[in-house]
Amino acid sequence: MGLEKKIEEISSEMNNFQVTTPEELEAFRIKFLGSKNCIKGLYQELKTVPNELKKEFGQKINALKQEGEVKFETVKSQVGAANNGSNKEIIDLSRPAEEMAVGSRHPLMVVRNEIIEIFNRIGFNVSEGPEIEDDWHNFSALNFPPEHPARDMQDTFFIEKGENEMALRTHTSSVQVRVMENSKPPIRTISPGRVYRNEAISARAHCFFHQVEGLYIDKNVSFADLKQTLQYFAKEMFGDKTRIRLRPSYFPFTEPSAEVDVSCTLCNGDGCNVCKYTGWLEILGCGMVDPAVLDAANIDSNIYSGFAFGMGIERITQLKYRVGDLRLYSENDIRFLNQFKSAY
Ligand code: PHE
């Protein structure tokens, strides 16, 4: 058979070669492009062709070789596309998923939420107010005498002095004044929030911290109600065995006033280095609302009485989770925060 005929034959064979599966594609590759392909033999036969025709035939064989490469690339992409449906990568649904990095609530918010929940259960709602306060709500309405040391620059961050005196609130009792001014008794509310005091930052003091203050005003509210409420809170927060004790104290806005201790959460009152071998830990201040405070908020002190209390969330958190250094709360060290992942 002449070379020309052979070229034609291979060319038509190539054109008619059906490629629809990956196997056929491979067969095509072996036959026309592989190391033992049929076009190679044509180059051998080129030797037998007369010299003046060598160039022409050489070009024909080259063209045939190229045709094969082009067809291979075309059918290859067609086969690939057609098989995308059936030969899809298999997804193993039983494989364990990669763990998602979820954040955790800040310990102060965990404890704040818990305090709110405990008081919600006995009918206290939540009230909030501004962190920048005027003198009236932070001091005057709360019966602070004009020269009271708490008004001093050393304790309070003033924003504006003089007639329009504004300061960062030093306690959330200011919120309670607002509630008393804007609603009628019975009032049962707690005010959680951030407060500010001009103190040097150390393990035991910070220039800002968080409080929850409580207020209950109605007819015939007595000191016994206050004690009972605090006893309930202490047991809910620190466990059923917890006892409380009240020590006389002084606040301008309550009379009588008391400071409240709980039996040590670590040694249960036996004495250890956390309670400094006293068996007790101080947690809050409280008292009966001074009649002058009720009257300043337009609540008739001849008809109504009430109690108030205030605690630091940092302190409660310290006792509950044994956090030794106040600064940890605001440093955002992820190693510290991650320890509260399971808390809600
Ligand atoms: N406001 C007080 C404080 O910041 C706490 C307190 C509230 C005490 C209510 C008695 C009654 O220290």
Side-chain angles (χ1 to χ4, degrees), residues 121-307:
R121 292 204 282 272
I122 52 170
F124 283 74
N125 64 13
V126 173
S127 46
E128 286 178 327
E131 293 186 14
I132 298 173
E133 265 298 5
D134 50 37
D135 174 88
W136 171 255
H137 291 98
N138 199 73
F139 295 126
S140 296
L142 289 160
N143 209 25
F144 277 85
E147 300 307 322
H148 196 281
R151 293 175 175 233
D152 202 293
M153 287 290 269
Q154 276 154 20
D155 287 310
T156 309
F157 288 114
F158 286 99
I159 287 170
E160 225 176 292
K161 280 294 258 179
E163 230 177 87
N164 275 333
E165 203 156 280
M166 295 297 273
L168 296 177
R169 67 183 178 195
T170 58
H171 50 187
T172 55
S173 301
S174 56
V175 181
Q176 308 190 329
V177 174
R178 289 177 179 277
V179 173
M180 285 190 283
E181 285 173 340
N182 296 323
S183 50
K184 297 243 160 300
I187 292 169
R188 247 184 299 180
T189 191
I190 51 170
S191 325
R194 184 176 278 189
V195 301
Y196 302 83
R197 288 184 198 175
N198 194 352
E199 296 201 29
I201 296 169
S202 71
R204 299 165 150 269
H206 213 292
C207 59
F208 65 79
F209 57 99
H210 300 78
Q211 283 190 327
V212 175
E213 298 217 353
L215 177 72
Y216 180 25
I217 298 172
D218 203 349
K219 289 171 185 159
N220 302 320
V221 176
S222 72
F223 203 89
D225 297 322
L226 171 59
K227 273 177 79 175
Q228 192 56 44
T229 304
L230 296 176
Q231 170 96 52
Y232 156 79
F233 167 74
K235 282 182 189 288
E236 291 292 306
M237 193 72 202
F238 298 112
D240 219 25
K241 287 199 190 123
T242 314
R243 287 159 290 130
I244 62 167
R245 78 172 180 188
L246 280 73
R247 289 176 286 108
S249 185
Y250 173 78
F251 299 101
F253 35 88
T254 47
E255 181 59 34
S257 305
E259 259 159 70
V260 179
D261 300 340
V262 289
S263 51
C264 180
T265 50
L266 196 69
C267 65
N268 199 26
D270 295 341
C272 66
N273 61 358
V274 171
C275 60
K276 303 207 179 70
Y277 300 96
T278 63
W280 296 97
L281 299 161
E282 187 191 323
I283 59 159
L284 58 83
C286 66
M288 301 306 290
V289 181
D290 194 302
V293 172
L294 294 176
D295 291 332
N298 291 326
I299 291 173
D300 190 343
S301 59
N302 292 315
I303 303 173
Y304 294 105
S305 57
F307 65 71

